[in-house]
Amino acid sequence: MQPASDHTAAIIRQNWQRVRAEVDQACHAAGRTTEQVQIVGVSKYVAPEYAWQLVQAGCHILAENRPQALWEKTDYFAHQSEVDIPPAQQALQWHLIGHLQRNKLKRTVPLIDLLHSLDSQRLAQAINAEAERQGLRCRVLLEVNVTQDTNKTGMSIAQVRRLLALTDQLPAVEFCGLMAMSSLDANPQHARREFEGVRELRDQLQDEFVGQVKLTELSMGMSGDFREAIAAGATLVRIGSNLWQGLLAL
Ligand SMILES: *Cc1c(COP(=O)(O)O)cnc(C)c1O
C-alpha cells in the first residue's frame, strides 16, 4: 500500500482539527468540559493509511463497524509502527461499533478496548466465555434501540434490563454504558429528545443495578447529530464522514 501523500495528510489534519473544534464548541454550548466527551474516529470509509494519518493528526480512538476491517487495520498499524514513527499516541484504542459475529470473537476480543454494539444476551455469554479463555475482560456498551425504525439494530429496553440482571454470571464482561442512534428521519429537536431519553434510561438503569455495574458511558451522536448528543450527555461521539471530507464521495 502507498503511504498517504502529504496533500492527503494535510486534508486529514485539517478535518481532524475542525471536528475537534466543533466538538469542543458543542461541549461549551452544553456547559460541559471538553474532557467529558471523547471523539471516536470512524475509519470504516477509508484505507488503513488514511486511518494512520488521522492518528498522526491527534485522534487516539479509532472505530470500525466490521471485525474483518478492524483486523486489516490493526495488522497494517502493527506493520507501520515498525517502519514509520509511531503516532504520538495517547495509547491508541480500537473500538468496534457494528455487529460482532460469534465466530469472530477469538481474534476480535483481544484487539478491542470497547465494543459499542453488544446486541444480545447470547453474544454477551459468548464474549464472557472467550474473554475468560484468554484471561481478559471485555468492556462493552449495551446497544439499545429507542427508535421506531424497524431497520435499526440494538436491544429493546426489556432485553437490556434482562441482560443487566445477569451480570454476576458474566464476570469477564464489563458493562460500561449504553450506545444508541437517533431515528433516520429525526430533525435536530427530535434527535435531542431521543438522546435525552437514552440518558434518562441510563440513569434509571444505574439506579436499578447500583453496586453491579457502573454505566458511565453514553455513545451517541454521529457527524450529523453530535451537537444534540453532546447536549444530552454523550461521552463518546462516533464521527465518520466529517473526518474524511475532501477525500471521498460520501
Ligand atoms: C458509520 C457509523 C458511524 C459514523 O457515521 P457518520 O455519519 O459517517 O459520522 C457512527 N456509528 C455507527 C454505528 C456507524 O456504523
Side-chain angles (χ1 to χ4, degrees), residues 53-212:
Q53 288 302 329
L54 183 64
V55 176
Q56 299 280 8
C59 180
H60 67 275
I61 306 176
L62 290 181
E64 286 289 319
N65 65 337
R66 291 189 312 112
Q68 296 98 318
L70 189 131
W71 301 346
E72 187 199 346
K73 288 204 174 65
T74 53
D75 278 353
Y76 175 87
F77 272 56
H79 171 72
Q80 195 66 10
S81 51
E82 289 168 10
V83 297
D84 192 5
I85 303 155
Q89 9 180 295
Q90 203 189 342
L92 176 63
Q93 293 185 22
W94 287 96
H95 292 185
L96 189 71
I97 58 174
H99 181 61
L100 177 53
Q101 298 85 354
R102 278 173 298 144
N103 64 2
K104 306 216 163 55
L105 287 176
K106 189 175 177 188
R107 186 160 173 195
T108 307
V109 165
L111 292 175
I112 57 175
D113 296 283
L114 184 65
L115 173 68
H116 291 233
S117 41
L118 181 72
D119 55 10
S120 74
Q121 181 178 319
R122 237 154 70 117
L123 178 61
Q125 286 163 333
I127 291 173
N128 185 65
E130 186 60 40
E132 282 195 329
R133 203 171 292 133
Q134 299 195 31
L136 304 169
R137 272 197 111 205
C138 187
R139 300 175 69 238
V140 304
L141 305 179
L142 299 133
E143 183 180 352
V144 58
N145 184 350
V146 293
T147 72
Q148 305 305 314
D149 298 358
T150 48
N151 60 339
K152 276 268 158 41
T153 53
M155 294 181 275
S156 67
I157 296 172
Q159 277 177 295
V160 167
R161 217 175 237 114
R162 280 200 294 276
L163 183 47
L164 284 172
L166 296 176
T167 50
D168 55 346
Q169 296 167 36
L170 302 166
V173 180
E174 188 177 340
F175 294 89
C176 301
L178 303 180
M179 186 272 243
M181 285 183 247
S182 62
S183 306
L184 289 175
D185 58 358
N187 61 38
Q189 292 88 333
H190 185 179
R192 170 130 181 209
R193 277 198 300 279
E194 288 181 334
F195 291 141
E196 281 171 349
V198 177
R199 190 198 60 220
E200 284 160 17
L201 173 64
R202 187 278 307 270
D203 294 347
Q204 207 177 330
L205 293 169
Q206 183 59 75
D207 282 349
E208 280 172 50
F209 296 95
V210 69
Q212 286 164 264

Side-chain angles (χ1 to χ4, degrees), residues 42 44-45 65 97-98 179 181 221-224 238-242 250:
V42 177
K44 68 183 181 190
Y45 303 111
N65 65 337
I97 58 174
M179 186 272 243
M181 285 183 247
M222 321 199 322
S223 291
R238 308 179 309 273
I239 308 289
S241 348
N242 283 1
L250 281 172

